[in-house]
């Protein structure tokens, strides 16, 4: 079967790989759409420390069940599904606390192990999530949005909070959506005016272009969600959050970040990480998309064939600020 494989930094190509064999307790899914995410771009650029080469990327999935081997009755051949792409060992400290999304030994599809940029995958039935009421194409948007949803959950956001989301890519937009759904006042922050306009469409009350001075008329945020992973945005999060506020960190910074620890102490801040997503976050995104109010066409920057992967990744690498999601159609 066909697969997209990143052979080395800067080179992605279509290759032939063996079709996976269905094991007991597993489900075989025919892949229809897979999204390229920021981690895949970092892999293509050679900047993803968790990846070894060659690597088949892809963990944002929309597909159809084609075969079952010992799965429960709620899963059926022909069902449209997405896949929870994370593993959990069941024995580490995170797993013992029931926080499987942060498993010490997690291997995410397309990162620490080969992913879903191929015609078929076989996964344990527990990782298969039906998406009735959502198109198979849009199912590929669920995972990245769920990461943003999870960050809002980590930040304990309630309706009286002011929440600033730094970075309005797909993950950041997921955080904007869930904060709005919880009744919070949202400040969307980004360098790109088009992304800020979309965040406002999703319910953000304020937008802030981070290349400009802070607008003093905006309220200080009780919660700041960092969804970029850069030195300036991490520093901005600590500086802008209100006293006794919460800072939620999603982005992986590519270099060491110098933080004013005096502000953390003086403000008595809660600073926390947010990794991956829980099944409840996936279900919350599915519920949101089922409403039919999401501007999904604006979330999808391009739909490409597998043969266009190299060209598309190179184009994205050259202009990263203009892309939400690139979907590969199988």
């Amino acid at each position: 079967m066909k697969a997209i494989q990143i052979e080395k930094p800067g080179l992605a190509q279509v290759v032939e790989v063996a079709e996976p064999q269905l094991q007991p307790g597993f489900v075989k899914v025919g892949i229809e759409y897979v999204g390229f995410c920021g981690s895949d771009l970092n892999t293509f650029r050679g900047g993803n420390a968790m990846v070894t080469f060659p690597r088949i990327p892809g963990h944002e999935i929309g597909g159809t069940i084609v075969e079952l081997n010992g799965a429960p009755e709620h899963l059926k051949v022909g069902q449209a599904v997405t896949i929870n792409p994370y593993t959990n060992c069941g024995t580490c400290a995170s797993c013992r606390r029931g926080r499987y999304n942060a498993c010490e030994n997690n291997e995410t599809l397309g990162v620490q192990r080969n992913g879903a940029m191929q015609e078929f995958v076989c996964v344990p039935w527990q990782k298969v999530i039906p998406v009735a009421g959502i198109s198979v194409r849009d199912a590929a948007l669920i995972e990245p949005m769920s990461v943003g949803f999870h960050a809002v959950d980590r930040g304990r956001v309630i309706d009286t909070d002011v929440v600033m989301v730094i970075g309005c890519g797909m993950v950041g937009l997921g955080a904007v959506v869930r904060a709005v759904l919880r009744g919070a006042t949202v400040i969307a922050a980004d360098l790109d005016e088009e992304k800020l306009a979309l965040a406002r469409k999703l319910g953000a009350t304020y937008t802030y272009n981070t290349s400009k001075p802070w607008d003093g008329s905006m309220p200080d945020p009780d919660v700041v969600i960092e969804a970029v992973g850069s030195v300036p945005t991490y520093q901005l999060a600590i500086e802008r959050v209100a006293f006794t506020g919460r800072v939620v960190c999603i982005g992986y910074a590519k270099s060491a970040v110098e933080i004013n620890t005096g502000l953390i102490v003086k403000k008595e801040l809660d600073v926390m990480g947010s990794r991956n997503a829980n099944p409840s976050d996936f279900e919350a995104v599915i519920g949101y998309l089922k409403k039919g109010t999401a501007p999904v066409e604006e979330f999808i920057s391009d739909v490409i064939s597998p043969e266009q992967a190299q060209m598309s990744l190179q184009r994205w690498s050259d202009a990263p600020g203009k892309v939400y999601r690139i979907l590969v159609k199988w």
Side-chain angles (χ1 to χ4, degrees), residues 10-323:
L11 177 61
Q13 59 186 16
V14 177
V15 298
E16 285 289 328
V17 298
E19 192 168 315
Q21 299 302 304
L22 191 61
Q23 303 172 45
F26 276 56
V27 175
K28 188 173 186 178
V29 176
I31 302 301
E32 298 189 38
Y33 292 88
V34 185
F36 273 125
C37 82
S39 66
D40 299 323
L41 177 62
N42 287 335
T43 299
F44 180 75
R45 288 171 153 181
N48 193 334
M50 294 180 285
V51 168
T52 57
F53 296 97
R55 176 65 72 227
I56 297 172
H59 55 259
E60 302 174 358
I61 301 159
T64 304
I65 295 175
V66 296
E67 193 176 351
L68 306 161
N69 188 354
E73 291 184 357
H74 75 276
L75 298 175
K76 297 177 175 60
V77 170
Q79 235 173 357
V81 297
T82 190
I83 294 172
N84 182 327
Y86 324 120
T87 64
N88 52 278
C89 68
T91 60
C92 72
S94 300
C95 288
R96 293 198 304 272
R97 296 186 179 104
R99 292 170 65 174
Y100 303 110
N101 61 294
C103 173
E104 182 179 353
N105 302 301
N106 167 66
E107 293 186 346
T108 298
L109 285 172
V111 185
Q112 296 95 339
R113 57 183 172 139
N114 281 335
M117 288 281 180
Q118 51 189 325
E119 293 181 77
F120 300 97
V121 295
C122 291
V123 295
W125 69 261
Q126 295 92 339
K127 299 297 182 180
V128 178
I129 304 171
V131 294
I134 299 172
S135 72
V136 179
R137 184 199 69 173
D138 295 350
L141 302 173
I142 293 170
E143 192 275 342
M145 293 192 73
S146 73
V147 176
F149 271 47
H150 180 65
V152 172
D153 203 46
R154 285 283 288 148
R156 308 186 300 277
V157 171
I158 60 174
D159 57 349
T160 57
D161 283 328
V162 176
V163 179
M164 182 163 78
V165 178
I166 305 175
C168 294
M170 274 303 301
V171 170
L173 290 179
V176 168
V177 167
R178 193 168 211 190
V180 169
L181 289 173
R182 290 193 174 189
T185 300
V186 175
I187 303 169
D190 200 284
L191 287 166
D192 189 272
E193 290 293 342
E194 291 180 19
K195 290 184 175 181
L196 293 175
L198 182 52
R200 190 176 284 275
K201 183 181 292 188
L202 292 170
T205 302
Y206 303 95
T207 55
Y208 168 48
N209 189 313
T210 54
S211 68
K212 300 175 182 177
W214 176 256
D215 182 351
S217 67
M218 292 188 293
D220 289 333
D222 305 291
V223 181
V224 175
I225 296 173
E226 200 288 336
V228 177
S230 71
V231 172
T233 52
Y234 265 97
Q235 292 171 338
L236 176 65
I238 298 296
E239 292 166 2
R240 283 267 56 95
V241 68
F243 275 62
T244 67
R246 286 99 72 197
V247 177
V248 183
C249 307
I250 307 176
Y252 282 85
K254 311 303 182 294
S255 59
V257 180
E258 185 175 317
I259 295 290
N260 184 344
T261 56
L263 287 178
I264 297 175
V265 176
K266 184 179 179 181
K267 292 183 176 184
E268 199 174 48
L269 300 179
D270 291 346
V271 180
M272 63 200 79
S274 181
R275 185 182 180 193
N276 299 332
N278 288 317
S280 59
D281 302 308
F282 279 79
E283 294 300 331
V285 174
I286 290 169
Y288 167 67
L289 292 176
K290 278 184 178 179
K291 295 176 183 177
T293 58
V296 290
E297 300 301 331
E298 295 185 58
F299 293 161
I300 300 169
S301 302
D302 202 2
V303 178
I304 65 170
S305 69
E307 290 74 17
Q308 294 173 300
Q310 169 71 28
M311 176 190 68
S312 188
L313 282 168
Q314 187 61 60
R315 186 179 297 165
W316 189 13
S317 181
D318 293 340
K322 294 296 182 183
V323 171

